[in-house]
Amino acid sequence: VISTRWLDEREQRVWQACLQMQRQLFAQLNHHLQAESGLSLSDFEVLVQLTAAPDGRLRPFELQRNLRWEQSRLSHHLARMRRRGLVDRGECPSDSRGTVVTLTVEGRRAIETAAPGHVAAVRRLVFDHLTEPELVALEQIAGRVLDRLDADLS
Amino acid sequence: VISTRWLDEREQRVWQACLQMQRQLFAQLNHHLQAESGLSLSDFEVLVQLTAAPDGRLRPFELQRNLRWEQSRLSHHLARMRRRGLVDRGECPSDSRGTVVTLTVEGRRAIETAAPGHVAAVRRLVFDHLTEPELVALEQIAGRVLDRLDADLS
DNA sequence: TAAGATTGATATATCAATCTTA
DNA sequence: TAAGATTGATATATCAATCTTA
């Protein structure tokens, strides 16, 4: 039996602040996006990936890897986005088990409409308040924590 | 018309990493908790607040303020926790519009069972990988971003 | 068998409407 | 009227089972 090394008062405070920050940040970015363009942050993230891909085409497993979503969540989400005309699904020429997700004209228009306001919100809520060394620290932290998260999966 | 100041490549990378880190961190902490104790991270957060409160009693609006949850989400969540016997609800003596949420014996036992493993996971996934200056930076960032989020609401 | 992906059932979150009393 | 809180309907996320083909 190993005795627990609890978080000290400061660590507690930082951890709670992180939880709250992430929750509220997601909520407010979602609100802004929803109000201005009818997209959710999740929709936006999918569209960002497709926009960055050659021909606006990606396999679901690539989206899954890039976004770190669960498989079934992605599948359901893509089905909903497809119903709304934001993406389409095609057969995969190189592997007939698979499919290809494609960005539609409407999807491209949606992200182009939404992007300026969303980027402005991200700047106003986050990046405007970071000093250069803080930005570096955040990059380091995210990188290391993500590595650890991946290691913990296996 | 103001032209959009887009995120540069590095800012993009940091932002995506933050989104992924948050998503995956929550998912994996949830998994650990769920597997070890049957609690979700949300359950745990509510129980943490009640444990820290005098007599394990808080008004819903206090929980709402501390956790930064939406009102109806909190209400539904408390109803579910109540059905599972983790908390109880009582009338509020000082304001008959309101209620008081109380920690049950079972709720206290649940968080005491769950806490050691959860704290260990938080350390292993996050705090073990932070240097002292990074911890300071994170605290600063969270504080400033939370202030901005609050300001943006009004 | 395992990879790629989907599906249906269930749990949780969000939105809009409502209720009660300060 | 507004604060405190709940409710029911809907949207989204998660879990377990399934399907197809490499």
Side-chain angles (χ1 to χ4, degrees):
Chain A
V1 190
I2 296 170
S3 77
T4 302
R5 202 171 126 238
W6 300 102
L7 300 183
D8 65 34
E9 214 176 301
R10 178 160 153 259
E11 289 169 326
Q12 268 277 359
R13 207 173 53 232
V14 174
W15 180 238
Q16 302 258 23
C18 285
L19 291 175
Q20 288 177 7
M21 174 176 64
Q22 103 90 25
R23 188 96 61 191
Q24 202 172 346
L25 187 54
F26 273 41
Q28 285 179 221
L29 288 175
N30 245 313
H31 253 97
H32 278 121
L33 263 174
Q34 206 64 262
E36 283 187 6
S37 65
L39 295 178
S40 68
L41 185 54
S42 297
D43 297 331
F44 193 89
E45 288 181 69
V46 170
L47 294 175
V48 164
Q49 295 296 326
L50 287 174
T51 306
D55 295 322
R57 302 168 73 79
L58 281 175
R59 301 282 304 272
F61 76 87
E62 295 174 305
L63 275 168
Q64 204 192 318
R65 181 164 36 70
N66 295 352
L67 295 169
R68 297 172 181 245
W69 289 10
E70 296 190 6
Q71 203 172 39
S72 71
R73 178 189 172 190
L74 179 64
S75 192
H76 283 297
H77 200 92
L78 289 174
R80 273 179 261 125
M81 289 180 76
R82 199 150 80 98
R83 262 178 253 131
R84 293 157 61 204
L86 297 169
V87 300
D88 203 356
R89 176 168 65 182
E91 287 184 11
C92 178
S94 61
D95 185 336
S96 34
R97 292 172 305 182
T99 55
V100 181
V101 182
T102 61
L103 186 59
T104 62
V105 173
E106 199 179 335
R108 191 177 293 277
R109 205 187 42 197
I111 189 174
E112 282 171 356
T113 305
H118 180 62
V119 170
V122 171
R123 280 214 178 279
R124 188 177 62 249
L125 295 173
V126 183
F127 286 96
D128 282 354
H129 311 286
L130 301 184
T131 65
E132 170 59 28
E134 283 171 351
L135 185 61
V136 172
L138 199 54
E139 186 171 16
Q140 297 281 319
I141 293 169
R144 259 179 266 135
V145 171
L146 280 171
D147 284 348
R148 196 60 187 83
L149 286 163
D150 286 335
D152 231 51
L153 281 181
S154 43
Chain B
V1 192
I2 296 168
S3 77
T4 303
R5 203 171 126 237
W6 300 102
L7 300 184
D8 65 34
E9 214 176 300
R10 178 160 153 259
E11 288 169 328
Q12 267 277 1
R13 207 173 53 232
V14 174
W15 180 238
Q16 302 258 23
C18 285
L19 291 176
Q20 289 178 7
M21 173 176 65
Q22 287 169 336
R23 188 97 60 190
Q24 201 171 346
L25 186 55
F26 272 43
Q28 283 177 223
L29 288 175
N30 244 313
H31 253 97
H32 278 121
L33 264 175
Q34 205 66 261
E36 283 186 7
S37 66
L39 294 178
S40 68
L41 185 54
S42 296
D43 297 331
F44 193 89
E45 288 181 70
V46 169
L47 295 175
V48 163
Q49 295 296 325
L50 287 173
T51 307
D55 295 322
R57 304 169 72 80
L58 282 174
R59 300 285 303 273
F61 76 87
E62 296 173 306
L63 275 169
Q64 203 191 319
R65 181 164 37 69
N66 295 353
L67 296 169
R68 298 173 181 245
W69 289 9
E70 296 192 6
Q71 202 172 41
S72 71
R73 179 189 172 191
L74 178 65
S75 194
H76 283 298
H77 200 92
L78 289 173
R80 273 179 260 126
M81 289 180 76
R82 199 151 79 99
R83 262 178 254 131
R84 293 157 62 205
L86 297 170
V87 300
D88 203 356
R89 177 169 62 184
E91 287 184 10
C92 179
S94 61
D95 186 337
S96 34
R97 293 172 305 182
T99 55
V100 180
V101 182
T102 61
L103 185 60
T104 62
V105 173
E106 199 179 334
R108 191 177 294 277
R109 205 187 42 196
I111 189 174
E112 282 170 357
T113 305
H118 180 61
V119 170
V122 171
R123 280 214 178 280
R124 187 177 64 248
L125 295 174
V126 183
F127 286 97
D128 283 353
H129 311 287
L130 301 184
T131 64
E132 170 60 28
E134 282 171 350
L135 186 60
V136 173
L138 199 54
E139 186 171 15
Q140 296 281 320
I141 292 169
R144 259 179 266 134
V145 171
L146 281 170
D147 285 348
R148 197 58 187 85
L149 286 163
D150 286 337
D152 232 51
L153 281 181
S154 43

